[in-house]
């Protein structure tokens, strides 16, 4: 068989040439078979958590469990109503209990103690500013302002008071004015009567009558 082999290059021994060529060809085929592609054209790797979505299944199971529990409670209520012919259950007879009551009380006591301590510190602290000195300075400044001002301090209030008094006098009813004028008329008549002496009296009697009327 090796004698029928026709090598590409000249060789003295065709048997050895055929073996070498076949071994070279086999290594070439192995390299071609095990060669890796330069371009990655394989599909991306698949992950099970993306296909199964276990969290979604868990949420769905929890939702179904809550629905089943609500349905069971509703069924129990309906069966109770059918057995007892229904009753009104809108009264809350139970006593409100709090598991956190003692802690809240302790917290409230702590806050009150802290507030009392802060209040004591604030009240015991002496003021930095003297308000009596401020008052004296303000009175001095007011005196300076009154000295340099053109109008008095309460000129506007005085003006408004005068206007109000004038308006009140204008608004007095006419009956009061007439009553006031009527009180003065008898005085004039008495004077006129006393001026004329009755029964031909002397002038001394008339002068005495005028003095009595004037008094």
């Amino acid at each position: 068989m090796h004698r029928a082999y026709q090598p590409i290059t000249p060789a003295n021994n065709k048997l050895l040439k055929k073996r070498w060529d076949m071994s070279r060809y086999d290594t070439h085929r192995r390299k071609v078979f095990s060669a890796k592609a330069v371009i990655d054209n394989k599909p991306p790797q698949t992950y099970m958590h993306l296909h199964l979505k276990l969290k979604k299944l868990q949420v769905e199971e929890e939702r179904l469990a809550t629905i089943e529990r609500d349905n069971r409670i509703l069924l129990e209520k309906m069966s109770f109503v059918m057995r007892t012919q229904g009753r009104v259950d809108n009264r809350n007879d139970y006593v409100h209990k709090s598991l956190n009551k003692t802690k809240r009380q302790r917290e409230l006591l702590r806050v009150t103690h802290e507030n009392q301590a802060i209040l004591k510190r604030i009240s015991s602290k002496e003021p930095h500013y003297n308000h009596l000195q401020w008052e004296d300075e303000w009175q001095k400044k007011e005196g300076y302002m009154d000295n340099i001002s053109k109008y008095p301090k309460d000129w506007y209030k005085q003006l408004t008071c005068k206007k109000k008094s004038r308006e009140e006098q204008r608004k007095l009813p006419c009956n009061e004015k007439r009553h006031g004028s009527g009180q003065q008329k008898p005085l004039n008549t008495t004077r006129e009567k006393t001026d004329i002496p009755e029964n031909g009296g002397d002038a001394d009697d008339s002068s005495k009558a005028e003095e009595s009327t004037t008094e």
Side-chain angles (χ1 to χ4, degrees):
M1 296 292 295
H2 61 280
R3 292 179 181 177
Y5 178 70
Q6 297 294 330
I8 298 172
T9 59
N12 294 325
N13 193 346
K14 292 183 178 180
L15 179 62
L16 294 177
K17 184 65 175 177
K18 183 179 179 181
R19 289 179 181 177
W20 292 339
D21 290 342
M22 292 301 294
S23 63
R24 195 180 296 113
Y25 178 73
D26 292 337
T27 54
H28 170 69
R29 294 299 299 174
R30 283 196 303 272
K31 288 180 180 180
V32 171
F33 184 75
S34 62
K36 294 182 179 180
V38 178
I39 298 171
D40 188 9
N41 55 1
K42 294 179 181 179
Q45 187 177 1
T46 58
Y47 299 97
M48 294 301 294
H49 69 276
L50 296 176
H51 291 281
L52 290 177
K53 294 182 181 179
L54 299 176
K55 185 65 178 178
K56 185 177 180 181
L57 294 174
Q58 183 182 358
V59 172
E60 187 68 20
E61 288 178 359
E62 290 177 356
R63 189 178 69 84
L64 293 174
T66 53
I67 291 171
E68 187 177 357
R69 182 176 59 83
D70 294 339
N71 291 335
R72 181 173 53 79
I73 294 170
L74 182 61
L75 184 61
E76 289 177 357
K77 290 181 180 180
M78 291 174 66
S79 64
F80 179 76
V81 170
M82 294 296 291
R83 283 186 283 105
T84 59
Q85 296 180 356
R87 288 189 304 175
V88 178
D89 58 349
N90 58 354
R91 295 183 181 87
N92 296 326
D93 297 330
Y94 58 88
V95 180
H96 294 280
K97 295 181 180 179
S98 177
L99 300 176
N100 206 16
K101 184 177 180 180
T102 56
K103 184 178 179 181
R104 284 191 285 105
Q105 288 179 352
R106 280 191 266 106
E107 187 69 19
L108 183 62
L109 290 173
R110 186 182 64 80
V111 172
T112 52
H113 287 314
E114 288 180 358
N115 292 336
Q116 289 177 358
I118 293 169
L119 181 61
K120 186 176 180 181
R121 288 173 61 188
I122 292 171
S123 60
S124 62
K125 181 68 177 177
E126 294 182 357
H128 184 69
Y129 299 102
N130 189 0
H131 66 281
L132 298 175
Q133 184 180 359
W134 286 2
E135 187 69 24
D136 296 337
E137 291 178 357
W138 175 244
Q139 289 179 0
K140 290 180 182 178
K141 289 179 181 178
E142 281 187 341
Y144 296 154
M145 287 190 290
D146 292 336
N147 292 332
I148 64 174
S149 61
K150 185 176 181 181
Y151 297 100
K153 185 176 181 180
D154 298 331
W155 66 272
Y156 185 74
K157 291 183 180 179
Q158 295 175 3
L159 184 62
T160 52
C161 291
K162 288 181 181 179
K163 286 183 179 179
K164 287 182 180 179
S165 61
R166 290 175 184 174
E167 290 178 356
E168 289 177 355
Q169 290 179 0
R170 289 176 183 175
K171 291 179 180 179
L172 286 174
C174 298
N175 295 327
E176 294 182 359
K177 293 180 180 179
R178 290 176 183 175
H179 185 66
S181 62
Q183 288 177 356
Q184 294 176 359
K185 285 181 179 179
L187 294 173
N188 295 330
T189 54
T190 54
R191 285 178 183 176
E192 290 175 0
K193 288 180 181 180
T194 54
D195 290 338
I196 300 170
E198 293 180 358
N199 298 323
D202 297 333
D204 295 331
D205 296 333
S206 63
S207 62
K208 290 179 182 180
E210 287 177 1
E211 289 177 0
S212 62
T213 54
T214 53
E215 288 176 358

